[in-house]
Amino acid sequence: MENPVIILGAQKLGVVALDIFQSNNVIVYCFLDDEVKLHQTEVNGITIMGTTDDPEFLKILGKKCEVFVAAEETATRKSLINLLKEEYQAIPVNAIHKFTSVSEHAWLGHGNLINAGVVINANARINNNCIINSNALVDSGAQIADFVQIGAGAIISADVEVEESAFIGAGAVVVAGIKIGKKGRVGAGAVVVANVPANQTVFGNPAQKV
């Protein structure tokens, strides 16, 4: 990546994104965050310079600067991504830690955060604006829709389908061929051996509805 990056969001997810970009020697220009009391302070040496909708910074996106959305709340991330597309014709870049293993035969969309130690195997598909935390595995043929979050150390086995805005907790195991419905939630450490309907939360081994 030749251009520097502006990170929208300076909380925990923004700090992770900063570390990822710096691992790849990508320059982070600044943070933008809506917590006004943080403005003109620094996070790991990078200044928080304004709000996430500040046109003075967002107008330089494109030829001069890239953008990554690291807002904590999914609804806020969606809103910011729509703003970037509609007002600035900007699409967030991927933040992929240098210590990951992504198959040349996997497919990645845009705006994804993929942290250190993640393995994404052949023919897996990661759509847009997903968060995949450290040491997770997305096995061959798995399909991950937009805005999915996968916790640290989770295992998404071969040919699993995870629909939009689903959440997979840290250390969870989703066995091969299972489908996690839209906004489904899998608790930390759960072992999922049956499909999870949309909006349902499961927990335990084997995973059961909560």
Side-chain angles (χ1 to χ4, degrees):
M1 190 182 304
E2 295 181 0
N3 291 335
V5 178
I6 294 174
I7 299 176
L8 306 189
Q11 311 298 320
K12 293 179 181 178
L13 194 60
V15 173
V16 172
L18 171 63
D19 181 69
I20 290 172
F21 286 121
Q22 290 180 334
S23 81
N24 292 293
N25 297 314
V26 174
I27 295 171
V28 173
Y29 181 74
C30 70
F31 284 107
L32 299 178
D33 194 280
D34 293 333
E35 191 71 49
V36 176
K37 67 181 182 181
L38 298 177
H39 292 177
Q40 304 310 314
T41 65
E42 291 188 354
V43 176
N44 295 347
I46 304 299
T47 303
I48 304 169
M49 299 185 72
T51 58
T52 57
D53 59 355
D54 191 326
E56 291 303 310
F57 292 100
L58 297 183
K59 71 182 181 182
I60 68 174
L61 299 178
K63 293 183 178 179
K64 295 182 179 179
C65 217
E66 306 293 348
V67 65
F68 183 81
V69 178
E72 301 291 322
E73 298 287 337
T74 299
T76 303
R77 289 169 57 220
K78 288 182 177 180
S79 178
L80 287 172
I81 288 163
N82 287 335
L83 171 71
L84 293 170
K85 290 180 179 178
E86 294 171 6
E87 300 293 331
Y88 300 97
Q89 292 75 54
I91 295 176
V93 295
N94 286 321
I96 303 174
H97 200 284
K98 70 176 182 179
F99 295 128
T100 62
S101 176
V102 180
S103 169
E104 293 182 359
H105 302 290
W107 188 93
L108 299 180
H110 55 76
N112 297 300
L113 184 149
I114 303 176
N115 211 347
V118 170
V119 176
I120 300 175
N121 283 336
N123 298 327
R125 180 183 179 95
I126 313 295
N127 270 24
N128 306 311
N129 309 302
C130 296
I131 299 170
I132 305 180
N133 286 295
S134 301
N135 299 315
L137 166 65
V138 180
D139 212 346
S140 59
Q143 307 290 304
I144 310 299
D146 295 347
F147 294 100
V148 167
Q149 296 188 47
I150 299 174
I155 297 174
I156 309 301
S157 301
D159 300 319
V160 165
E161 181 181 353
V162 184
E163 293 192 338
E164 182 178 341
S165 299
F167 174 88
I168 313 295
V173 177
V174 183
V175 304
I178 292 298
K179 180 176 180 179
I180 309 296
K182 184 176 181 179
K183 295 185 179 179
R185 297 180 65 82
V186 175
V191 178
V192 183
V193 297
N195 293 342
V196 177
N199 300 300
Q200 189 172 102
T201 299
V202 299
F203 188 81
N205 180 10
Q208 302 289 330
K209 180 181 177 180
V210 176

